[in-house]
Amino acid sequence: MKVFLIGDGDIVEIITEEFLKNNVDVYVVSIDKNFAMGPNFEKVDSYSEVSKNFFEDRDISSFDKCIVAIGEKNILDAINIAAILQEIGIDTLVIVPTKKYESIFNRIGVNFVVPSYDIASKTVGELLLKSGPVESALPFIEDYFIARINILPESKICNKKVSELDIRNRFNINIIIAFKRESIQLEKGISKTFFSKIDVKAQTVLDETMSIVVVGPLDDIKKFIDYMYGET
């Protein structure tokens, strides 16, 4: 995963530390010269330098996510950068300094969050989970997340009963629901996929036509995904 991070301050520092700790390839652009926490750091004199050409010169399309966390003092730059990224079409999250700017970023059409006590860990957690077989991941409560995971043929849980896997005791997470995928062939070679909910029980057999929704602490969900698709 590659993340392009623009900004400064405590939240950016925490997010960067978490990314580096989890071996995420993060490129940081900041006006703070003391913020060089990793090998991929670039100082700018002003965030107004960050233009469409700036992003294109740094191959922004090769990044999976862009995070903008610029303080209120430079809010006009944050708005301008968000608008540029929306035009480019890169997946972007803006960490908005206060709620009074929510309507502006709503109009731009980018995803945003307002800083809170645990926003940094939740932001990192969501991005770390949402990759590979993970279709979606959202913060739930405190350090818990909800993740929807596709079961691929090579997964270690494929064609096994829920009771056999003992997921709750082994990984400290719960499967709360599952979805079964079914493709219907329509006219002119067009197919459509339908999803039906499955009430997961001990005797439910998980297979490659299904995706499961799990809830649990971030680290435990990551361990479960590593088990599903890891080499060991």
Side-chain angles (χ1 to χ4, degrees), residues 13 33 54 87 94 106 136 199 216 222:
E13 184 174 347
K33 65 180 180 181
F54 181 95
E87 179 185 351
V94 180
N106 262 327
S136 62
D199 184 15
K222 286 169 60 181

XYZ file of all heavy atoms in Angstrom, residues 13 33 54 87 94 106 136 199 216 222:
80
model
N 1.892 13.328 12.644
C 3.039 12.626 13.231
C 2.637 11.225 13.688
O 3.334 10.242 13.413
C 3.591 13.423 14.416
C 4.835 12.816 15.022
C 5.458 13.694 16.094
O 5.062 14.872 16.192
O 6.320 13.186 16.821
N 10.032 21.528 8.510
C 11.292 20.860 8.160
C 11.725 19.856 9.226
O 12.544 18.978 8.968
C 12.397 21.884 7.956
C 12.781 22.659 9.218
C 13.883 23.670 8.928
C 14.257 24.443 10.181
N 15.310 25.442 9.901
N 2.068 19.575 -9.377
C 2.857 19.029 -8.270
C 2.531 17.549 -8.091
O 3.421 16.706 -7.975
C 2.539 19.809 -6.993
C 3.306 19.369 -5.773
C 4.475 20.008 -5.398
C 2.834 18.323 -4.983
C 5.179 19.608 -4.272
C 3.528 17.911 -3.850
C 4.701 18.562 -3.496
N -10.678 16.341 -8.369
C -10.662 16.439 -9.831
C -9.800 15.323 -10.437
O -10.176 14.715 -11.446
C -10.109 17.801 -10.249
C -10.040 17.993 -11.757
C -9.386 19.300 -12.150
O -9.137 20.145 -11.261
O -9.099 19.470 -13.348
N -9.751 13.893 4.060
C -9.325 15.170 4.636
C -9.635 15.150 6.128
O -10.765 14.852 6.530
C -10.043 16.359 3.972
C -9.574 17.673 4.600
C -9.777 16.370 2.475
N -18.024 18.979 2.148
C -19.186 18.266 1.604
C -19.452 18.687 0.173
O -19.740 17.858 -0.695
C -20.423 18.539 2.467
C -20.687 17.415 3.458
O -20.410 16.258 3.165
N -21.212 17.763 4.610
N -14.352 -3.959 2.717
C -14.606 -2.710 3.429
C -14.182 -2.861 4.879
O -14.132 -3.980 5.412
C -16.092 -2.322 3.360
O -16.896 -3.301 3.995
N -27.404 -16.419 7.892
C -27.295 -16.437 9.349
C -26.226 -17.457 9.726
O -26.424 -18.662 9.580
C -28.650 -16.806 9.963
C -28.628 -16.748 11.485
O -27.681 -16.153 12.027
O -29.549 -17.309 12.112
N -14.106 -6.975 15.748
C -13.108 -7.260 16.774
C -12.031 -6.199 16.788
O -12.048 -5.254 15.981
N -6.431 -8.283 11.892
C -5.253 -8.414 11.029
C -4.645 -9.808 11.143
O -4.257 -10.417 10.144
C -4.211 -7.354 11.407
C -4.568 -5.945 10.958
C -3.662 -4.906 11.567
C -2.213 -5.102 11.198
N -1.341 -4.081 11.814
